Amino acid sequence: MSLIAGFDARFPNQNQTKHCWQNYVDYFKCIKARGEDFPPCKQFFRAYHSLCPNDYISKWDTQREEGNFPVNLNP
Amino acid sequence: MCFLSNLIWLSSNLCSNDAAQPWQFGFQDGGSPSYEGIVELHDDIMFYLILILVGVAWMLMSTIRKFNWNHNQIVHKYLNHGTVLELIWTISPALVLIAIAFPSFKLLYLLDEVIDPVMTVKAIGNQWYWSYEYSDYLDQEGQSIEFDSYLVPESDLEIGDLRLLEVDNRVVVPVDTHIRFIVTARDVIHSFAVPSLGVKLDCIPGRLNQFSLVINREGVFYGQCSELCGVLHGFMPVVIEAVSLEQYLAWLSDQIPPYLTKEGYTPCIYLCITHLPSVC
């Protein structure tokens, strides 16, 4: 398993904003659906950590905790 | 020093020019394939540029010489249409443009490719310093390596340091490794630029831009913010230090507290195994 975000054909461009965002959303959808220990979820975790600046992550974490994250993460 | 060594250059590569010099007109010495590509394109285009310059100058000079006030012969008084001439002066510039466009697009799309990076470094522009994050290396709590990089003020410079270019924390990266850089900004637009690595990319708040980088040789590469970002725009340099893989892993070990080790490995070995399996 790759430890960082490799090439993703959905995001072939210089602009990687959505690449980071999509992996963040996918990780939390994944763990809600399959649990934190489900190994494939880890790849999303590594990818969003690799791509997103830490202040983006903490901002979105706060939004999730406060319940105003703009995407429904439930399976 | 560098200037002198460049003069007697050609065989003895005494010192590479990886920072801007006073009164420098040429390029710095290259440290990456992107840089080599850019210089090659420049040289290709310069060939056509000289060709056009000579052609236009010759036509202009001969016109001035032949049709001046003293002997104006009005040879082509009744020439108002010349199909062959018009074909030549339409098609030949088109061919020149095509000859420039193809290598240019080829280089543009090659520089855009980030296929399979081994590691990611995030560079974030702030007013007026750079922050860097190495988030491939996480502990169980999700903490990663991050640090700010400020200009070293003139009063703190040591002999041999470059004024307005030295920083307190350099970006240390391994040579011959495919690195993805993610650049963005927190406040206004900045631009991450290192001339000797062929890198210049705008950092836009709310947007993550990427570029790939492979550094060919060890060295310290200097750059500066290249988008006017406020009053201290000229005082937020970028310094990339390319080191061997062993030195890089040693540097990482210094950055990462021991509790980050997993499965009984030292941080150095652990990172090597997990991130650069091909070399460990």
Side-chain angles (χ1 to χ4, degrees):
Chain A
M1 184 167 28
S2 165
L3 282 160
I4 63 162
F7 177 75
D8 188 330
R10 295 173 297 172
F11 311 102
N13 302 316
Q14 192 173 62
N15 185 353
Q16 293 292 301
T17 320
K18 279 279 188 174
H19 194 178
C20 139
W21 163 258
Q22 194 63 52
N23 276 292
Y24 183 88
V25 170
D26 285 348
Y27 174 67
F28 288 99
K29 279 190 173 175
C30 184
I31 57 168
K32 283 209 173 186
R34 307 299 296 267
E36 277 201 38
D37 296 328
F38 188 58
C41 297
K42 292 281 179 203
Q43 178 52 36
F44 297 126
F45 178 83
R46 286 165 183 144
Y48 87 71
H49 270 285
S50 184
L51 293 168
C52 305
N54 294 345
D55 51 347
Y56 284 29
I57 297 173
S58 52
K59 181 183 166 190
W60 293 336
D61 285 346
T62 314
Q63 287 181 341
R64 277 189 306 106
E65 282 156 20
E66 290 171 355
N68 51 14
F69 190 68
V71 165
N72 180 12
L73 297 170
N74 291 318
Chain B
M1 182 78 166
C2 284
F3 179 68
L4 279 177
S5 73
N6 283 343
L7 280 182
I8 53 169
W9 164 63
L10 289 174
S11 58
S12 57
N13 204 352
L14 292 177
C15 136
S16 292
N17 180 8
D18 299 328
Q21 303 285 307
W23 290 96
Q24 180 177 346
F25 285 100
F27 291 118
Q28 297 177 23
D29 292 334
S32 77
S34 330
Y35 172 89
E36 305 294 342
I38 290 167
V39 170
E40 201 173 302
L41 179 74
H42 166 271
D43 295 349
D44 280 357
I45 293 176
M46 198 54 88
F47 167 77
Y48 294 107
L49 197 146
I50 290 168
L51 208 70
I52 292 166
L53 182 74
V54 169
V56 171
W58 176 72
M59 281 192 279
L60 199 60
M61 287 303 159
S62 49
T63 311
I64 291 170
R65 195 166 50 80
K66 282 185 184 167
F67 299 97
N68 68 13
W69 177 255
N70 294 332
H71 43 88
N72 187 353
Q73 299 153 353
I74 322 184
V75 240
H76 297 303
K77 186 177 176 184
Y78 300 105
L79 175 65
N80 51 24
H81 188 76
T83 309
V84 177
L85 185 64
E86 283 172 13
L87 280 174
I88 290 171
W89 77 35
T90 307
I91 291 172
S92 55
L95 291 177
V96 169
L97 287 181
I98 290 168
I100 291 174
F102 273 86
S104 172
F105 284 131
K106 187 177 132 192
L107 178 68
L108 182 68
Y109 291 120
L110 270 174
L111 293 184
D112 218 21
E113 292 286 349
V114 181
I115 292 295
D116 197 15
V118 179
M119 56 178 282
T120 304
V121 178
K122 288 173 267 180
I124 300 156
N126 301 276
Q127 281 176 324
W128 290 276
Y129 61 95
W130 292 96
S131 307
Y132 299 99
E133 296 175 6
Y134 291 61
S135 296
D136 298 337
Y137 316 108
L138 290 178
D139 65 356
Q140 299 297 349
E141 287 86 48
Q143 298 297 312
S144 63
I145 302 170
E146 54 182 311
F147 56 86
D148 296 334
S149 180
Y150 284 91
L151 173 80
V152 174
E154 217 166 318
S155 52
D156 294 352
L157 287 179
E158 292 172 11
I159 290 173
D161 282 358
L162 299 170
R163 184 179 153 269
L164 300 186
L165 286 177
E166 298 293 346
V167 295
D168 53 358
N169 292 309
R170 292 169 170 174
V171 191
V172 178
V173 288
V175 288
D176 298 327
T177 306
H178 196 158
I179 306 159
R180 166 200 272 137
F181 268 82
I182 297 271
V183 300
T184 185
R186 288 211 180 95
D187 33 46
V188 297
I189 302 178
H190 300 270
S191 183
F192 188 86
V194 184
S196 49
L197 299 178
V199 165
K200 182 178 279 176
L201 192 58
D202 274 10
C203 309
I204 320 258
R207 172 177 165 136
L208 308 174
N209 280 334
Q210 72 171 0
F211 67 85
S212 75
L213 185 62
V214 179
I215 302 179
N216 289 336
R217 60 179 166 83
E218 292 176 31
V220 184
F221 302 92
Y222 293 90
Q224 289 169 304
C225 178
S226 294
E227 177 66 47
L228 198 54
C229 62
V231 64
L232 297 182
H233 161 64
F235 305 89
M236 47 179 294
V238 175
V239 183
I240 294 183
E241 185 175 354
V243 296
S244 67
L245 185 61
E246 294 75 33
Q247 285 172 306
Y248 173 67
L249 292 170
W251 176 82
L252 269 187
S253 306
D254 292 343
Q255 305 295 311
I256 301 176
Y259 63 81
L260 285 183
T261 56
K262 289 182 192 169
E263 298 153 17
Y265 294 118
T266 65
C268 172
I269 308 263
Y270 173 71
L271 291 166
C272 188
I273 290 169
T274 51
H275 295 279
L276 302 159
S278 55
V279 294
C280 295

